[in-house]
């Protein structure tokens, strides 16, 4: 019996240690916007392979992933990927430097751009990214502006917005097992 309990504890802890991807809400409560100090926002973050950048913005903005040259000069012909939907999740799947700008050149020149350095010392067990919003036929084309700092939930309903949540999941699973095992 003790071996079974020890095995379950070790299994729960091993799962907790592997579930450590973070979903970053770009700009926190201000979102992806001209008023956001993106340089300061990025400064204290350590992005790792498996993390996700969530951009939320109004229809006046977009997110373009750029080459380094395009980023530095706001040259809109150097776009690698464009995201115009208003709600964009970008998984960080490999180490290296990534460059993001607003697709409006004047906004980019005004500082609405961000350089992200992704560290590669973590396995790439990336969470599933949020689906991209699709324009509706006959719609106005405007996107809502979601500017909040609520944690993002994965498909199981658990928060991906912090590494401590996986320990909570492991503890909950362990308690449920003990209740079931000992019929308390």
């Amino acid at each position: 019996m003790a071996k079974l309990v020890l095995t379950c504890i070790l299994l729960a802890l091993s799962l907790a240690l592997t579930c450590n991807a973070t979903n970053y809400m770009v700009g926190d409560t201000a979102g992806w916007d001209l008023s956001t100090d993106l340089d300061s926002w990025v400064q204290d973050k350590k992005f790792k392979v498996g993390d996700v950048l969530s951009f939320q913005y109004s229809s006046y903005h977009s997110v373009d992933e750029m080459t380094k040259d395009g980023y530095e000069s706001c040259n809109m012909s150097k776009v690698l990927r464009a995201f115009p939907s208003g709600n964009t999740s970008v998984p960080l799947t490999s180490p290296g430097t990534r460059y993001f700008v607003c697709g409006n050149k004047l906004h980019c020149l005004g500082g609405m751009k961000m350089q992200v350095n992704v560290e590669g010392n973590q396995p790439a067990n990336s969470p599933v990214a949020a689906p991209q919003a699709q324009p509706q036929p006959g719609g106005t084309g405007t996107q809502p502006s979601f500017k909040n700092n609520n944690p993002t939930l994965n498909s199981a309903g658990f928060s991906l917005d912090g590494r401590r949540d996986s320990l909570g999941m492991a503890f909950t699973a362990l308690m449920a097992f003990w209740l079931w095992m000992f019929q308390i």
Side-chain angles (χ1 to χ4, degrees), residues 1-49:
M1 180 64 169
K3 287 183 182 180
L4 180 60
V5 171
L6 182 60
T7 302
C8 289
I9 290 171
L10 291 175
L11 178 63
L13 287 176
S14 67
L15 286 173
L17 294 175
T18 60
C19 300
N20 59 1
T22 300
N23 187 358
Y24 290 98
M25 184 70 60
V26 174
D28 294 328
T29 57
W32 179 248
D33 192 76
L34 273 169
S35 65
T36 305
D37 184 355
L38 294 167
D39 290 333
S40 294
W41 182 81
V42 168
Q43 194 171 20
D44 66 340
K45 311 280 187 294
K46 287 199 177 234
F47 302 100
K48 294 184 168 62
V49 171

Side-chain angles (χ1 to χ4, degrees), residues 54-171:
S54 293
F55 295 85
Q56 294 182 341
Y57 47 95
S58 70
S59 60
Y60 299 108
H61 304 296
S62 65
V63 176
D64 290 348
E65 186 169 1
M66 307 287 280
T67 64
K68 181 179 182 181
D69 293 338
Y71 169 82
E72 290 172 348
S73 63
C74 293
N75 182 345
M76 297 303 157
S77 68
K78 308 273 183 165
V79 174
L80 298 174
R81 295 189 325 176
F83 306 97
S85 74
N87 186 10
T88 300
S89 293
V90 179
L92 303 175
T93 57
S94 60
T97 304
R98 310 268 298 263
Y99 303 94
F100 300 95
V101 305
C102 180
N104 180 324
K105 185 173 184 165
L106 293 176
H107 293 179
C108 178
L109 291 169
M112 197 171 165
K113 58 186 185 175
M114 177 176 79
Q115 176 180 329
V116 174
N117 298 313
V118 182
E119 297 176 3
N121 59 356
Q122 171 181 329
N125 52 351
S126 172
V128 177
Q132 299 298 313
Q134 299 297 319
Q136 299 297 321
T140 62
T142 59
Q143 297 292 329
S145 176
F146 298 103
K147 294 184 179 179
N148 60 40
N149 200 22
N150 294 334
T152 303
L153 301 179
N154 66 12
S155 60
F158 295 110
S159 170
L160 296 172
D161 198 33
R163 291 175 167 86
R164 287 175 278 146
D165 294 328
S166 57
L167 290 175
M169 289 187 301
F171 179 74

